[in-house]
Amino acid sequence: MADSLSTGLVEEKEKEKEDRERATKAVNADQNKKKDGLTDTRGFHDKNGGARGQKGNLSDLSLVRFITTELTRGYFLEHNEAKYTERRERVYTCLRIPKELEKLMTFGFFLCLDTFLYVFTLLPLRVILALLRLLTVPCCGLGGSRLLQPAQVCDVLKGFIMVLCYSMMSYVDYSMMYHLIRGQSVIKLYIIYNMLEVADRLFSSFGQDILDALYWTATEPKEKKRAHIGVIPHFLMAVLYVFLHAILIMVQATTLNVAFNSHNKSLLTIMMSNNFVEIKGSVFKKFEKNNLFQMSNSDIKERFTNYILLLIVCLRNMEQFSWNPDHFWVLFPDVVMVITSEVAVDVVKHAFITKFNDISADVYGEYRASLAFDLVSSRQKNAYTDYSDSVSRRMGFIPLPLALLLIRVVTSSVKIQGSLSFMCVLLFYLGMITLKVLNSIVLLGTSCMFVKEAKMEEKLFDPPPSVASSRANSRANRSKSTHTAAPQEPTSNSAGVSLTPGVSPPTEKPEGPSSAIPKSDSDTFLTTPDEDDEDKILNNDMRLEGDGLKHRTPKKDLLEIDRFTICGNRID
């Protein structure tokens, strides 16, 4: 009995093993069939539904069948609708860039023109009124008021700077400089022109600081503790700066004049190609909306300066040919060539910057509203700066050196003799005043319209930023840059929970007044964070650092961007 039972158990175990082997074979066969079906992408299958062998599959892999399949295969773009819609919107954005950019450039050009005409028209009249007040004070008496208002002090300082620098410029021989530059080789002049452009940007970045320091030193209330070196040293620094910057612009204009008068036009071609090198240096860098605003202001200033340089070149050439109108049409193609290349470079540069950084073309309307806000705010009774200085701080365009050079060129090119010539000069001056007034009226009306469309009227009544807040913002920006440059490592709070940068903290809210998220009115409009960082700015306004809370500073408002135009690709 025991033998029979043992043999029965052995037989049952053998049957179970056979059943398992059959099941595993069946599963393997099914898997092989599925793999054959997946790899059979070209539709090579048996007509009768049975699986073919390896020899049958190889026999169907013919060149004719492959070409036929390539010619007849299809695909459906609607399966990736979001991707193709985004690509189409990028194309439309690039097509809109020239129109929106030229709107901003045109508005900015007339802003610079208004500031430039102010130096020739209203500034001399304001200086005369301030000097008359000084002369009539002994007769009328002060009456407890200031001897001169702060604005009048600044006007008198500007007038003295212009007079002293013009007297110094009279000793500079333009003809000698022209022949000295003309004797250089083409490559050397190309290098010199590039160095002059860099030096011009550096002068523009530091020049307005020198002038602002002079204005504030001369008008600072006397009851404050003295923390400066005196008005006279600041005045001498300002005179030296304006004179050196005017000489620099004169060398630029002379180099451009040599390029126009060269026979083979090689120098002019090289100087125009220098604009296209600017595309390489800016297009492939990361830009935020604020940085693009800085670059746009820099381009406006550069374009207006180039127009004045071309005007100086035409005046010098016409004076050499006894004001023959036929010679102007000889210069006209070169002038059009330079202007066209400048416009083309700006359009291509901004189109690709907005494409690579996913910035909408509507942002140029926002930039235009910010520039219009400066003009409207400078017309208020409680304005804390002159509009010409506001444009200088915003765009880096300082009109004093450029105006000084133009006066020097015009007085040396045009000879005034006789009463009729003086009448012509007087009529020309009245015409410039008329142009200045009309331009100011149109700009003010247009700016009010832009501010109203942007809903920025309430910002006109905000007080100017204090010294403490500006210093706190600058320190916060410096600390922010150091934190972004440092390697990000996971930290842990007092509860032992690890916190990594970019990850929101636990949902437990700390108690006390410090738990409130700081908000400001400037965050509601014209704060232009990137779209990818909006959630981080909203959710990570407070970070844990050690045992205390550290408030994260918001992004800069467009209205706070000031004179960073010479480094338009700067990333905060």
Side-chain angles (χ1 to χ4, degrees), residues 427-462:
L427 291 176
F428 182 75
Y429 179 72
L430 293 177
M432 289 181 63
I433 292 180
T434 305
L435 178 62
K436 168 68 174 66
V437 172
L438 291 178
N439 187 33
S440 299
I441 293 174
V442 174
L443 279 179
L444 184 59
T446 308
S447 300
C448 292
M449 182 181 63
F450 290 154
V451 171
K452 187 176 181 180
E453 290 177 355
K455 299 179 181 179
M456 299 173 62
E457 298 95 334
E458 66 278 0
K459 286 181 175 289
L460 292 172
F461 305 100
D462 293 341

mmCIF file of all heavy atoms in Angstrom, residues 427-462:
data_model
loop_
_atom_site.group_PDB
_atom_site.id
_atom_site.type_symbol
_atom_site.label_atom_id
_atom_site.label_comp_id
_atom_site.label_asym_id
_atom_site.label_seq_id
_atom_site.Cartn_x
_atom_site.Cartn_y
_atom_site.Cartn_z
ATOM 1 N N LEU A 427 15.184 134.444 -36.660
ATOM 2 C CA LEU A 427 14.030 133.689 -37.160
ATOM 3 C C LEU A 427 14.228 132.192 -36.960
ATOM 4 O O LEU A 427 13.274 131.468 -36.632
ATOM 5 C CB LEU A 427 13.806 134.013 -38.640
ATOM 6 C CG LEU A 427 13.320 135.431 -38.968
ATOM 7 C CD1 LEU A 427 13.229 135.628 -40.483
ATOM 8 C CD2 LEU A 427 11.961 135.692 -38.319
ATOM 9 N N PHE A 428 15.452 131.721 -37.158
ATOM 10 C CA PHE A 428 15.724 130.300 -36.938
ATOM 11 C C PHE A 428 15.532 129.924 -35.467
ATOM 12 O O PHE A 428 14.986 128.858 -35.147
ATOM 13 C CB PHE A 428 17.146 129.978 -37.397
ATOM 14 C CG PHE A 428 17.518 128.535 -37.250
ATOM 15 C CD1 PHE A 428 17.023 127.578 -38.134
ATOM 16 C CD2 PHE A 428 18.363 128.121 -36.226
ATOM 17 C CE1 PHE A 428 17.355 126.247 -37.999
ATOM 18 C CE2 PHE A 428 18.708 126.784 -36.083
ATOM 19 C CZ PHE A 428 18.199 125.843 -36.978
ATOM 20 N N TYR A 429 15.944 130.801 -34.569
ATOM 21 C CA TYR A 429 15.771 130.541 -33.143
ATOM 22 C C TYR A 429 14.285 130.515 -32.772
ATOM 23 O O TYR A 429 13.835 129.651 -31.992
ATOM 24 C CB TYR A 429 16.511 131.607 -32.350
ATOM 25 C CG TYR A 429 16.383 131.451 -30.860
ATOM 26 C CD1 TYR A 429 17.050 130.423 -30.188
ATOM 27 C CD2 TYR A 429 15.600 132.325 -30.122
ATOM 28 C CE1 TYR A 429 16.931 130.273 -28.819
ATOM 29 C CE2 TYR A 429 15.487 132.183 -28.748
ATOM 30 C CZ TYR A 429 16.146 131.151 -28.099
ATOM 31 O OH TYR A 429 16.021 131.007 -26.751
ATOM 32 N N LEU A 430 13.519 131.452 -33.316
ATOM 33 C CA LEU A 430 12.075 131.453 -33.048
ATOM 34 C C LEU A 430 11.414 130.199 -33.613
ATOM 35 O O LEU A 430 10.477 129.645 -33.017
ATOM 36 C CB LEU A 430 11.437 132.705 -33.645
ATOM 37 C CG LEU A 430 11.848 134.041 -33.009
ATOM 38 C CD1 LEU A 430 11.195 135.212 -33.751
ATOM 39 C CD2 LEU A 430 11.483 134.070 -31.526
ATOM 40 N N GLY A 431 11.892 129.762 -34.762
ATOM 41 C CA GLY A 431 11.364 128.513 -35.318
ATOM 42 C C GLY A 431 11.672 127.305 -34.445
ATOM 43 O O GLY A 431 10.836 126.410 -34.281
ATOM 44 N N MET A 432 12.870 127.279 -33.847
ATOM 45 C CA MET A 432 13.222 126.183 -32.943
ATOM 46 C C MET A 432 12.354 126.206 -31.689
ATOM 47 O O MET A 432 11.922 125.152 -31.190
ATOM 48 C CB MET A 432 14.697 126.268 -32.567
ATOM 49 C CG MET A 432 15.654 125.932 -33.691
ATOM 50 S SD MET A 432 17.378 126.039 -33.167
ATOM 51 C CE MET A 432 17.437 124.784 -31.922
ATOM 52 N N ILE A 433 12.072 127.417 -31.180
ATOM 53 C CA ILE A 433 11.193 127.518 -30.010
ATOM 54 C C ILE A 433 9.788 127.024 -30.361
ATOM 55 O O ILE A 433 9.146 126.301 -29.574
ATOM 56 C CB ILE A 433 11.162 128.962 -29.489
ATOM 57 C CG1 ILE A 433 12.518 129.347 -28.912
ATOM 58 C CG2 ILE A 433 10.076 129.136 -28.434
ATOM 59 C CD1 ILE A 433 12.576 130.768 -28.383
ATOM 60 N N THR A 434 9.310 127.393 -31.541
ATOM 61 C CA THR A 434 7.988 126.932 -31.975
ATOM 62 C C THR A 434 7.949 125.409 -32.098
ATOM 63 O O THR A 434 6.983 124.764 -31.656
ATOM 64 C CB THR A 434 7.626 127.579 -33.318
ATOM 65 O OG1 THR A 434 7.717 128.998 -33.207
ATOM 66 C CG2 THR A 434 6.216 127.196 -33.738
ATOM 67 N N LEU A 435 8.999 124.845 -32.678
ATOM 68 C CA LEU A 435 9.058 123.386 -32.800
ATOM 69 C C LEU A 435 9.101 122.720 -31.430
ATOM 70 O O LEU A 435 8.446 121.704 -31.206
ATOM 71 C CB LEU A 435 10.288 123.000 -33.625
ATOM 72 C CG LEU A 435 10.544 121.497 -33.809
ATOM 73 C CD1 LEU A 435 9.395 120.845 -34.550
ATOM 74 C CD2 LEU A 435 11.859 121.268 -34.549
ATOM 75 N N LYS A 436 9.854 123.299 -30.505
ATOM 76 C CA LYS A 436 9.940 122.751 -29.147
ATOM 77 C C LYS A 436 8.584 122.791 -28.455
ATOM 78 O O LYS A 436 8.159 121.798 -27.832
ATOM 79 C CB LYS A 436 10.969 123.544 -28.347
ATOM 80 C CG LYS A 436 10.964 123.294 -26.849
ATOM 81 C CD LYS A 436 11.445 121.887 -26.511
ATOM 82 C CE LYS A 436 11.589 121.694 -25.003
ATOM 83 N NZ LYS A 436 10.283 121.765 -24.296
ATOM 84 N N VAL A 437 7.882 123.896 -28.553
ATOM 85 C CA VAL A 437 6.591 124.026 -27.880
ATOM 86 C C VAL A 437 5.568 123.064 -28.483
ATOM 87 O O VAL A 437 4.839 122.363 -27.764
ATOM 88 C CB VAL A 437 6.102 125.485 -27.946
ATOM 89 C CG1 VAL A 437 4.680 125.599 -27.421
ATOM 90 C CG2 VAL A 437 7.031 126.391 -27.149
ATOM 91 N N LEU A 438 5.507 123.007 -29.822
ATOM 92 C CA LEU A 438 4.554 122.095 -30.464
ATOM 93 C C LEU A 438 4.880 120.639 -30.138
ATOM 94 O O LEU A 438 3.978 119.829 -29.868
ATOM 95 C CB LEU A 438 4.566 122.321 -31.979
ATOM 96 C CG LEU A 438 3.999 123.650 -32.477
ATOM 97 C CD1 LEU A 438 4.135 123.752 -33.999
ATOM 98 C CD2 LEU A 438 2.534 123.788 -32.082
ATOM 99 N N ASN A 439 6.148 120.303 -30.150
ATOM 100 C CA ASN A 439 6.543 118.932 -29.826
ATOM 101 C C ASN A 439 6.175 118.588 -28.383
ATOM 102 O O ASN A 439 5.700 117.482 -28.096
ATOM 103 C CB ASN A 439 8.048 118.779 -30.041
ATOM 104 C CG ASN A 439 8.503 117.338 -29.900
ATOM 105 O OD1 ASN A 439 7.771 116.421 -30.230
ATOM 106 N ND2 ASN A 439 9.713 117.143 -29.415
ATOM 107 N N SER A 440 6.366 119.533 -27.463
ATOM 108 C CA SER A 440 6.029 119.290 -26.063
ATOM 109 C C SER A 440 4.531 119.113 -25.870
ATOM 110 O O SER A 440 4.091 118.243 -25.099
ATOM 111 C CB SER A 440 6.532 120.444 -25.197
ATOM 112 O OG SER A 440 7.935 120.571 -25.289
ATOM 113 N N ILE A 441 3.734 119.917 -26.573
ATOM 114 C CA ILE A 441 2.275 119.812 -26.438
ATOM 115 C C ILE A 441 1.780 118.469 -26.954
ATOM 116 O O ILE A 441 0.979 117.775 -26.305
ATOM 117 C CB ILE A 441 1.591 120.977 -27.178
ATOM 118 C CG1 ILE A 441 1.903 122.307 -26.478
ATOM 119 C CG2 ILE A 441 0.087 120.769 -27.242
ATOM 120 C CD1 ILE A 441 1.399 123.520 -27.215
ATOM 121 N N VAL A 442 2.278 118.062 -28.130
ATOM 122 C CA VAL A 442 1.847 116.781 -28.697
ATOM 123 C C VAL A 442 2.314 115.616 -27.826
ATOM 124 O O VAL A 442 1.562 114.646 -27.581
ATOM 125 C CB VAL A 442 2.382 116.641 -30.140
ATOM 126 C CG1 VAL A 442 2.070 115.261 -30.700
ATOM 127 C CG2 VAL A 442 1.771 117.711 -31.037
ATOM 128 N N LEU A 443 3.540 115.692 -27.334
ATOM 129 C CA LEU A 443 4.050 114.623 -26.474
ATOM 130 C C LEU A 443 3.272 114.530 -25.168
ATOM 131 O O LEU A 443 2.986 113.422 -24.689
ATOM 132 C CB LEU A 443 5.532 114.861 -26.172
ATOM 133 C CG LEU A 443 6.535 114.438 -27.236
ATOM 134 C CD1 LEU A 443 7.942 114.784 -26.777
ATOM 135 C CD2 LEU A 443 6.436 112.957 -27.533
ATOM 136 N N LEU A 444 2.910 115.676 -24.595
ATOM 137 C CA LEU A 444 2.171 115.650 -23.341
ATOM 138 C C LEU A 444 0.784 115.045 -23.529
ATOM 139 O O LEU A 444 0.332 114.230 -22.703
ATOM 140 C CB LEU A 444 2.071 117.068 -22.776
ATOM 141 C CG LEU A 444 1.405 117.198 -21.412
ATOM 142 C CD1 LEU A 444 2.154 116.387 -20.369
ATOM 143 C CD2 LEU A 444 1.327 118.668 -21.002
ATOM 144 N N GLY A 445 0.113 115.418 -24.601
ATOM 145 C CA GLY A 445 -1.198 114.826 -24.865
ATOM 146 C C GLY A 445 -1.114 113.339 -25.139
ATOM 147 O O GLY A 445 -1.929 112.549 -24.633
ATOM 148 N N THR A 446 -0.133 112.934 -25.938
ATOM 149 C CA THR A 446 0.032 111.505 -26.220
ATOM 150 C C THR A 446 0.406 110.730 -24.963
ATOM 151 O O THR A 446 -0.079 109.608 -24.747
ATOM 152 C CB THR A 446 1.121 111.320 -27.291
ATOM 153 O OG1 THR A 446 0.834 112.142 -28.422
ATOM 154 C CG2 THR A 446 1.174 109.870 -27.747
ATOM 155 N N SER A 447 1.245 111.320 -24.121
ATOM 156 C CA SER A 447 1.650 110.640 -22.894
ATOM 157 C C SER A 447 0.478 110.477 -21.939
ATOM 158 O O SER A 447 0.333 109.426 -21.294
ATOM 159 C CB SER A 447 2.771 111.425 -22.214
ATOM 160 O OG SER A 447 3.903 111.528 -23.058
ATOM 161 N N CYS A 448 -0.376 111.491 -21.827
ATOM 162 C CA CYS A 448 -1.563 111.360 -20.987
ATOM 163 C C CYS A 448 -2.473 110.245 -21.482
ATOM 164 O O CYS A 448 -3.056 109.494 -20.675
ATOM 165 C CB CYS A 448 -2.321 112.691 -20.947
ATOM 166 S SG CYS A 448 -1.465 114.027 -20.083
ATOM 167 N N MET A 449 -2.561 110.092 -22.786
ATOM 168 C CA MET A 449 -3.377 109.015 -23.342
ATOM 169 C C MET A 449 -2.775 107.649 -23.020
ATOM 170 O O MET A 449 -3.483 106.713 -22.636
ATOM 171 C CB MET A 449 -3.495 109.197 -24.855
ATOM 172 C CG MET A 449 -4.364 108.149 -25.548
ATOM 173 S SD MET A 449 -4.441 108.402 -27.336
ATOM 174 C CE MET A 449 -2.722 108.153 -27.782
ATOM 175 N N PHE A 450 -1.451 107.532 -23.132
ATOM 176 C CA PHE A 450 -0.797 106.255 -22.818
ATOM 177 C C PHE A 450 -0.939 105.909 -21.334
ATOM 178 O O PHE A 450 -1.190 104.747 -20.978
ATOM 179 C CB PHE A 450 0.681 106.319 -23.199
ATOM 180 C CG PHE A 450 0.933 106.345 -24.680
ATOM 181 C CD1 PHE A 450 2.093 106.922 -25.197
ATOM 182 C CD2 PHE A 450 0.018 105.808 -25.556
ATOM 183 C CE1 PHE A 450 2.322 106.945 -26.556
ATOM 184 C CE2 PHE A 450 0.239 105.828 -26.933
ATOM 185 C CZ PHE A 450 1.400 106.398 -27.420
ATOM 186 N N VAL A 451 -0.783 106.923 -20.470
ATOM 187 C CA VAL A 451 -0.911 106.676 -19.029
ATOM 188 C C VAL A 451 -2.337 106.272 -18.674
ATOM 189 O O VAL A 451 -2.561 105.384 -17.840
ATOM 190 C CB VAL A 451 -0.465 107.924 -18.242
ATOM 191 C CG1 VAL A 451 -0.781 107.777 -16.762
ATOM 192 C CG2 VAL A 451 1.022 108.156 -18.429
ATOM 193 N N LYS A 452 -3.305 106.897 -19.311
ATOM 194 C CA LYS A 452 -4.697 106.556 -19.038
ATOM 195 C C LYS A 452 -5.024 105.155 -19.525
ATOM 196 O O LYS A 452 -5.730 104.401 -18.849
ATOM 197 C CB LYS A 452 -5.610 107.586 -19.705
ATOM 198 C CG LYS A 452 -7.074 107.417 -19.357
ATOM 199 C CD LYS A 452 -7.924 108.528 -19.977
ATOM 200 C CE LYS A 452 -9.392 108.355 -19.595
ATOM 201 N NZ LYS A 452 -10.238 109.427 -20.187
ATOM 202 N N GLU A 453 -4.522 104.784 -20.690
ATOM 203 C CA GLU A 453 -4.767 103.431 -21.190
ATOM 204 C C GLU A 453 -4.114 102.370 -20.299
ATOM 205 O O GLU A 453 -4.651 101.275 -20.138
ATOM 206 C CB GLU A 453 -4.229 103.300 -22.621
ATOM 207 C CG GLU A 453 -5.023 104.073 -23.651
ATOM 208 C CD GLU A 453 -4.409 103.978 -25.034
ATOM 209 O OE1 GLU A 453 -3.297 103.378 -25.139
ATOM 210 O OE2 GLU A 453 -5.013 104.484 -25.988
ATOM 211 N N ALA A 454 -2.968 102.705 -19.723
ATOM 212 C CA ALA A 454 -2.273 101.764 -18.844
ATOM 213 C C ALA A 454 -2.792 101.795 -17.411
ATOM 214 O O ALA A 454 -2.311 101.022 -16.571
ATOM 215 C CB ALA A 454 -0.772 102.060 -18.842
ATOM 216 N N LYS A 455 -3.750 102.694 -17.115
ATOM 217 C CA LYS A 455 -4.361 102.803 -15.781
ATOM 218 C C LYS A 455 -3.300 103.081 -14.718
ATOM 219 O O LYS A 455 -3.212 102.407 -13.688
ATOM 220 C CB LYS A 455 -5.136 101.531 -15.439
ATOM 221 C CG LYS A 455 -6.274 101.242 -16.406
ATOM 222 C CD LYS A 455 -7.003 99.957 -16.036
ATOM 223 C CE LYS A 455 -8.128 99.675 -17.023
ATOM 224 N NZ LYS A 455 -8.842 98.416 -16.707
ATOM 225 N N MET A 456 -2.488 104.100 -14.980
ATOM 226 C CA MET A 456 -1.403 104.469 -14.073
ATOM 227 C C MET A 456 -1.635 105.830 -13.427
ATOM 228 O O MET A 456 -0.705 106.435 -12.883
ATOM 229 C CB MET A 456 -0.073 104.487 -14.829
ATOM 230 C CG MET A 456 0.332 103.153 -15.419
ATOM 231 S SD MET A 456 1.796 103.283 -16.477
ATOM 232 C CE MET A 456 3.019 103.851 -15.306
ATOM 233 N N GLU A 457 -2.886 106.347 -13.462
ATOM 234 C CA GLU A 457 -3.118 107.673 -12.910
ATOM 235 C C GLU A 457 -2.854 107.727 -11.410
ATOM 236 O O GLU A 457 -2.369 108.729 -10.887
ATOM 237 C CB GLU A 457 -4.565 108.117 -13.181
ATOM 238 C CG GLU A 457 -4.907 108.233 -14.657
ATOM 239 C CD GLU A 457 -5.550 106.961 -15.190
ATOM 240 O OE1 GLU A 457 -5.292 105.895 -14.613
ATOM 241 O OE2 GLU A 457 -6.305 107.056 -16.170
ATOM 242 N N GLU A 458 -3.175 106.627 -10.698
ATOM 243 C CA GLU A 458 -2.989 106.675 -9.248
ATOM 244 C C GLU A 458 -1.517 106.729 -8.857
ATOM 245 O O GLU A 458 -1.167 107.203 -7.773
ATOM 246 C CB GLU A 458 -3.639 105.443 -8.595
ATOM 247 C CG GLU A 458 -3.008 104.108 -8.928
ATOM 248 C CD GLU A 458 -3.474 103.549 -10.262
ATOM 249 O OE1 GLU A 458 -4.307 104.211 -10.929
ATOM 250 O OE2 GLU A 458 -3.014 102.452 -10.639
ATOM 251 N N LYS A 459 -0.633 106.265 -9.736
ATOM 252 C CA LYS A 459 0.789 106.310 -9.421
ATOM 253 C C LYS A 459 1.350 107.725 -9.474
ATOM 254 O O LYS A 459 2.432 107.983 -8.945
ATOM 255 C CB LYS A 459 1.568 105.421 -10.403
ATOM 256 C CG LYS A 459 1.415 103.929 -10.146
ATOM 257 C CD LYS A 459 2.225 103.143 -11.150
ATOM 258 C CE LYS A 459 2.174 101.659 -10.830
ATOM 259 N NZ LYS A 459 2.948 101.347 -9.618
ATOM 260 N N LEU A 460 0.643 108.645 -10.116
ATOM 261 C CA LEU A 460 1.128 110.017 -10.206
ATOM 262 C C LEU A 460 1.158 110.706 -8.848
ATOM 263 O O LEU A 460 1.907 111.657 -8.644
ATOM 264 C CB LEU A 460 0.249 110.819 -11.168
ATOM 265 C CG LEU A 460 0.315 110.423 -12.651
ATOM 266 C CD1 LEU A 460 -0.742 111.166 -13.439
ATOM 267 C CD2 LEU A 460 1.695 110.698 -13.219
ATOM 268 N N PHE A 461 0.337 110.211 -7.919
ATOM 269 C CA PHE A 461 0.248 110.852 -6.610
ATOM 270 C C PHE A 461 1.054 110.115 -5.550
ATOM 271 O O PHE A 461 0.987 110.472 -4.374
ATOM 272 C CB PHE A 461 -1.217 110.927 -6.177
ATOM 273 C CG PHE A 461 -2.092 111.617 -7.180
ATOM 274 C CD1 PHE A 461 -2.879 110.888 -8.061
ATOM 275 C CD2 PHE A 461 -2.108 113.001 -7.284
ATOM 276 C CE1 PHE A 461 -3.689 111.515 -8.990
ATOM 277 C CE2 PHE A 461 -2.910 113.634 -8.214
ATOM 278 C CZ PHE A 461 -3.703 112.895 -9.071
ATOM 279 N N ASP A 462 1.795 109.093 -5.951
ATOM 280 C CA ASP A 462 2.647 108.399 -4.992
ATOM 281 C C ASP A 462 3.855 109.255 -4.664
ATOM 282 O O ASP A 462 4.425 109.909 -5.549
ATOM 283 C CB ASP A 462 3.106 107.052 -5.556
ATOM 284 C CG ASP A 462 1.946 106.084 -5.713
ATOM 285 O OD1 ASP A 462 0.901 106.326 -5.064
ATOM 286 O OD2 ASP A 462 2.076 105.107 -6.467
#
